[in-house]
């Protein structure tokens, strides 16, 4: 039984504002999160939907400076390789982008999917085992929104070699790397994605992504 919650117009409006506010953040203040807030965000993330209710998300809070250093080196190496794939003005623009807040963010959270979890008894994933990864992404987005609703920013770093990262982090066996999240209070708040403001990629209008058959 639920508590009979019926969404009001104000609730819908506020929720819509949250979707607009939720930005990928790369510019963090260095001060720590309020005590207990990380645990609250993880609890909210665990409310996400998952295939067969498998709840395959696993979170590693990376606190050790030497491990953080390895992650930063991994990013710098991979970002250099990625930069070399662009030419001309796009290459210059790419080089000017800030694509991670690893040096400033007070919290580093690596997120994995347990690909061998018994939870859920395999329901829903016989034909699409990748639904465990999709479920983990749902948890990440839930965390992202819960964070933003509390004035906290999240940045998703994917410019990493996942194999090297999993080894450096001593990740659990059968844990598939999904995301490396930088979490902290943002230096500035924006409604527009940074990549739009920097001229890398505009938003695509919603009318362009809906098709019929
Ligand atoms: C799966 C995924 C991977 C991403 N990886 C990176 C990344 O490595 N570096 C980065 O700066 N942003 C990364 N982002 C953030 C996107 O660039 C950002 O979400 C996008 O530009 C839209 O901006 P917005 O999140 O502010 O709406 C990632 C986002 C997603 C969903």
């Amino acid at each position: 039984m639920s508590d009979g919650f019926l969404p009001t117009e104000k609730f819908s409006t506020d929720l819509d504002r949250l979707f607009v506010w939720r930005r990928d953040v790369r510019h963090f203040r260095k001060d720590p999160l309020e005590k207990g807030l990380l645990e609250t965000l993880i609890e909210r993330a665990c409310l996400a939907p998952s295939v067969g209710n498998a709840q395959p998300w696993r979170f590693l809070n990376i606190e050790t400076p030497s491990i953080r250093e390895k992650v930063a080196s991994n990013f710098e190496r991979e970002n250099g390789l990625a930069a070399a794939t662009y030419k001309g003005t796009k290459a210059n623009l790419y080089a000017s982008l800030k694509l991670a807040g690893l040096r400033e963010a007070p919290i580093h959270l690596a997120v994995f999917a347990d690909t061998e979890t018994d939870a859920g008894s395999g329901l829903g994933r016989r034909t699409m085992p990748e639904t465990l990864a999709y479920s983990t992404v749902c948890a990440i987005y839930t965390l992202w929104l819960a964070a933003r609703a509390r004035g906290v920013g999240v940045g998703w770093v994917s410019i990493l070699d996942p194999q090297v990262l999993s080894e450096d982090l001593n990740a659990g066996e059968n844990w598939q790397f999904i995301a490396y999240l930088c979490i902290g209070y943002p230096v500035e708040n924006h409604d527009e994605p940074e990549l739009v403001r920097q001229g890398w990629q505009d938003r695509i209008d919603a009318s362009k992504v809906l098709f019929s058959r």
Side-chain angles (χ1 to χ4, degrees), residues 22-24 26 98-100 156-159 193-195:
R22 192 258 347 119
R23 295 276 67 84
D24 187 280
R26 307 105 202 254
K98 178 167 171 55
L99 295 174
W156 185 322
V157 188
S158 60
I159 306 167
E194 185 156 336
L195 292 186

Side-chain angles (χ1 to χ4, degrees), residues 92-140:
N92 293 335
L93 185 52
Y94 186 92
S96 73
L97 297 173
K98 178 167 171 55
L99 295 174
L102 291 163
R103 302 274 180 202
E104 310 87 29
I107 301 281
H108 286 201
L109 199 64
V111 190
F112 297 82
D114 182 347
T115 58
E116 295 298 328
T117 180
D118 290 336
S121 305
L123 190 153
R125 55 184 144 105
R126 188 182 66 82
T127 53
M128 293 181 65
E130 62 272 29
T131 46
L132 288 171
Y134 301 162
S135 303
T136 304
V137 173
C138 291
I140 292 168

Side-chain angles (χ1 to χ4, degrees), residues 24-204:
D24 187 280
V25 173
R26 307 105 202 254
H27 305 269
F28 293 97
R29 290 179 2 214
K30 288 189 172 175
D31 45 314
L33 285 199
E34 202 182 295
K35 204 170 173 324
L37 191 45
L38 177 64
E39 290 72 15
T40 301
L41 297 181
I42 300 289
E43 279 171 21
R44 297 303 176 274
C46 291
L47 295 175
S50 61
V51 64
N53 209 18
Q55 301 152 76
W57 37 76
R58 305 289 179 262
F59 300 96
L60 262 188
N61 183 10
I62 310 301
E63 298 179 289
T64 313
S66 59
I67 305 181
R68 285 190 176 201
E69 196 50 51
K70 285 183 182 172
V71 176
S73 303
N74 187 335
F75 167 77
E76 275 150 27
R77 206 167 43 243
E78 294 304 322
N79 198 35
L81 293 171
T85 65
Y86 297 100
K87 294 203 168 48
T89 51
K90 205 76 175 170
N92 293 335
L93 185 52
Y94 186 92
S96 73
L97 297 173
K98 178 167 171 55
L99 295 174
L102 291 163
R103 302 274 180 202
E104 310 87 29
I107 301 281
H108 286 201
L109 199 64
V111 190
F112 297 82
D114 182 347
T115 58
E116 295 298 328
T117 180
D118 290 336
S121 305
L123 190 153
R125 55 184 144 105
R126 188 182 66 82
T127 53
M128 293 181 65
E130 62 272 29
T131 46
L132 288 171
Y134 301 162
S135 303
T136 304
V137 173
C138 291
I140 292 168
Y141 195 54
T142 305
L143 183 148
W144 214 336
L145 293 174
R148 197 63 197 93
R150 291 163 177 78
V152 174
V154 175
W156 185 322
V157 188
S158 60
I159 306 167
L160 294 163
D161 180 319
Q163 187 77 36
V164 172
L165 187 100
S166 296
E167 282 164 24
D168 287 344
L169 268 46
N170 196 15
E173 209 164 315
N174 305 315
W175 285 16
Q176 178 190 355
F177 172 65
I178 304 293
Y180 198 88
L181 304 178
C182 293
I183 304 178
Y185 297 105
V187 171
E188 295 176 337
N189 293 302
H190 290 278
D191 285 356
E192 281 295 300
E194 185 156 336
L195 292 186
V196 173
R197 287 185 283 121
Q198 304 285 341
W200 181 264
Q201 172 65 55
D202 267 341
R203 283 183 197 276
I204 298 170

Side-chain angles (χ1 to χ4, degrees), residues 5-23 141-150 191:
F5 173 70
L6 284 176
T8 59
E9 207 172 309
K10 178 178 180 318
F11 177 83
S12 308
T13 308
D14 287 348
L15 186 58
D16 285 347
R17 286 180 66 199
L18 178 59
F19 294 136
V20 175
W21 279 351
R22 192 258 347 119
R23 295 276 67 84
Y141 195 54
T142 305
L143 183 148
W144 214 336
L145 293 174
R148 197 63 197 93
R150 291 163 177 78
D191 285 356

